[in-house]
Amino acid sequence: MKIAFLGPHASFTQLATAQLFPNDELLPQSSILDCFSAVENGDVAKAVVPLENSIEGTVSMTLDYLYKTPSIKIEAEAVMPIAHHLMIHPDNSIEDIEKIYSHPQALAQSFHFLDTHYKDIPKQDFSSTAAAAKYVSENKDIKIAAVANQYAANLYGLKIINRNIQDFEQNHTRFIIISKLQNKYENEDLQTLGEKSGMLITLPEDHPGGLHQVLSVFAWRKMNLSKIESRTLKTGLGNYFFFINVEGSWNDILHGNALKELESINADVDFLGNYKEFLLES
Amino acid sequence: MKIAFLGPHASFTQLATAQLFPNDELLPQSSILDCFSAVENGDVAKAVVPLENSIEGTVSMTLDYLYKTPSIKIEAEAVMPIAHHLMIHPDNSIEDIEKIYSHPQALAQSFHFLDTHYKDIPKQDFSSTAAAAKYVSENKDIKIAAVANQYAANLYGLKIINRNIQDFEQNHTRFIIISKLQNKYENEDLQTLGEKSGMLITLPEDHPGGLHQVLSVFAWRKMNLSKIESRTLKTGLGNYFFFINVEGSWNDILHGNALKELESINADVDFLGNYKEFLLES
């Protein structure tokens, strides 16, 4: 099966995709839009894109494209702790390193470690952590190191000198698997964190209390929201849609009736699926 | 006055900051965290950081640092349409160009234009649009172009060949001015789009209907919400805080009583300010 993901090769999204689809053909895309287009056109069966906290893509794009392409639904969510490692060409030694390359945000996220241990070594911005790792692998004659992930170290045969150099332990990225298949992704090899439903809700008109009315539908049924995010519609200022996650497995009576009640108050609901949340390794 | 902004030089954030603070000393920072630290430590009076849709920083960081540093408040919000231009060294001619450099997301956002007009010219990822423009200005002997903004073209003396090559007209970035001054930023040279209040709300415990109860406070007062976003607290799965924007100017009775009612239901409210929203040029 062909699976698109937000590239480049050895990006954090590929690290996630390789765990979700270990036996499939993974095709890197240069943007979140390209991932959605590949799914919509049928070039691939599924795609993996970041939903929250990525350093590789503006993830608000993911919500916007979910809204713009109603045929595309969510099969699963996956959460991965962010881990940065310092790596060099295996023929070089860390004492010789004269420069450290990485994505500006990866350097920023590793600032305290780098400032403590490699204060006098200049840092250089690169377009991605993966591109920095590739550059190190191809240029063993210049003495450089990269800050990148485990997948990049493996792919480009680099030696990891320091592991987990990120400043905050609990930083993580969330990804979703998207497709047109209305499928529920399953994987017994991964730890399941829970189950949830995703939906996009547009209100008929922008009036005070509109969102409150929508949330009443879930509140009196004691359905717990785990995420809510508003996004501007491009049609004009002041018009919004909402991305909402409701906790729990699908329940015909509970979910079915909630969706009917949302319809009855003229909310436009794009139900994206009831799906599992998995924990990935960094 | 010293103003920090999310760099590098000639980033979109600098383009915004230069319009908001035309007569002040602007200091680029390498991360959103550094902008907050500079304000908290008193190294600068204010900082400008992206709040939505930036290609230069993970803007969920902005919400997280607003939460973590309660002394820092919002003075204003500013919205800027995103405009990408194709630019070259003034001594070169567009017919000779052999490669186009930019940030991967700027290339993705200009994909249809570049694919139509410069299909056979290879594209190369750079760490930022500004760094690509700088590289073009310093290397007139290699025939390269950059996709970057107007500010970068001016700063590095580049010639713009094609203007507004971004694929979507209505894409924009939102920025906020942050400080510890509890000040309301004013600027009569900029167009004002409206007024709003920003607040961070944490619920005493995660229970179904908790957010619904909070929104009731605004709903029955007919106070309109223009943005709502939930963010996970790092203390554990399932604990959230909410960033909420309420439309309108400050009103002692309306806002004062709403805040009192939020306190009475044990919600923890960090009121970030009542401030204006300005329109910037791209």
Side-chain angles (χ1 to χ4, degrees), chain B residues 110-127:
Chain B
S110 312
F111 174 79
H112 290 107
F113 177 88
L114 296 175
D115 193 55
T116 307
H117 297 90
Y118 303 99
K119 192 177 177 53
D120 299 328
I121 298 183
K123 318 299 181 293
Q124 166 111 23
D125 290 349
F126 238 72
S127 62

Side-chain angles (χ1 to χ4, degrees), chain A residues 19-232:
Chain A
Q19 293 177 60
L20 293 164
F21 298 101
N23 304 311
D24 293 284
E25 185 185 353
L26 309 187
L27 299 168
Q29 310 292 318
S30 66
S31 68
I32 292 174
L33 172 58
D34 289 343
C35 292
F36 275 81
S37 301
V39 170
E40 207 189 8
N41 302 337
D43 298 337
V44 298
K46 308 178 183 191
V48 179
V49 292
L51 179 68
E52 223 179 85
N53 260 10
S54 166
I55 65 169
E56 286 147 359
T58 308
V59 295
S60 52
M61 299 273 166
T62 298
L63 292 183
D64 291 350
Y65 294 131
L66 279 172
Y67 182 84
K68 280 182 198 163
T69 39
S71 62
I72 293 182
K73 307 297 181 190
I74 299 178
E75 293 200 358
E77 188 173 314
V79 55
M80 185 171 74
I82 290 178
H84 296 304
H85 313 306
L86 186 71
M87 52 193 74
I88 60 173
H89 194 285
D91 293 352
N92 285 332
S93 140
I94 187 65
E95 289 74 30
D96 304 327
I97 291 305
E98 290 167 0
K99 222 167 189 183
I100 298 174
Y101 286 32
S102 195
H103 187 282
Q105 285 190 60
L107 291 174
Q109 287 171 0
S110 313
F111 175 79
H112 290 107
F113 177 88
L114 295 176
D115 193 54
T116 306
H117 298 90
Y118 303 99
K119 192 178 176 53
D120 298 328
I121 299 181
K123 318 299 180 293
Q124 166 111 23
D125 290 349
F126 238 71
S127 62
S128 69
T129 58
K134 184 163 185 258
Y135 192 80
V136 167
S137 76
E138 289 167 351
N139 293 279
K140 76 166 178 176
D141 296 337
I142 46 178
K143 309 299 183 193
I144 48 179
V147 175
N149 62 35
Q150 179 68 54
Y151 195 94
N154 296 350
L155 182 67
Y156 298 117
L158 301 184
K159 184 165 73 177
I160 294 181
I161 299 296
N162 301 103
R163 287 195 168 271
N164 297 311
I165 64 171
Q166 68 280 1
D167 294 330
F168 300 106
E169 291 257 325
Q170 289 178 315
N171 213 349
H172 60 260
T173 297
R174 283 177 189 278
F175 303 92
I176 50 173
I177 302 174
I178 55 169
S179 80
K180 293 194 291 187
L181 306 173
Q182 312 241 5
N183 180 41
K184 187 164 185 164
Y185 172 90
E186 294 284 354
N187 190 327
E188 292 183 355
D189 296 333
L190 296 174
Q191 188 188 334
T192 306
L193 295 173
E195 227 166 332
K196 57 175 70 171
S197 299
M199 56 194 89
L200 296 167
I201 299 179
T202 318
L203 299 177
E205 48 179 334
D206 188 30
H207 65 92
L211 177 62
H212 178 256
Q213 198 183 8
V214 164
L215 297 192
S216 304
V217 170
F218 304 109
W220 75 261
R221 289 184 172 84
K222 298 198 192 327
M223 295 167 85
N224 199 18
L225 302 189
S226 60
K227 182 181 172 72
I228 178 165
E229 190 164 344
S230 65
R231 293 284 308 151
T232 315

Side-chain angles (χ1 to χ4, degrees), chain B residues 53 78 100-101 121 138 140 156 159 172 175 188 192 241 249 264 275 278 281:
Chain B
N53 260 10
I100 297 173
Y101 286 30
I121 298 183
E138 290 168 350
K140 78 166 180 176
Y156 298 117
K159 186 164 72 176
H172 60 257
F175 303 92
E188 291 184 355
T192 306
F241 70 88
S249 326
S264 77
Y275 45 85
F278 296 94
E281 287 174 23

Side-chain angles (χ1 to χ4, degrees), chain B residues 204-243:
Chain B
E205 48 179 333
D206 189 29
H207 65 94
L211 177 62
H212 178 256
Q213 197 183 9
V214 163
L215 297 192
S216 304
V217 170
F218 303 110
W220 76 261
R221 289 184 172 84
K222 296 198 191 332
M223 294 166 87
N224 200 18
L225 302 190
S226 60
K227 182 182 173 73
I228 178 165
E229 191 164 344
S230 64
R231 294 283 308 150
T232 316
L233 291 173
K234 309 283 169 167
T235 48
L237 291 168
N239 292 311
Y240 295 85
F241 70 88
F242 299 91
F243 177 81

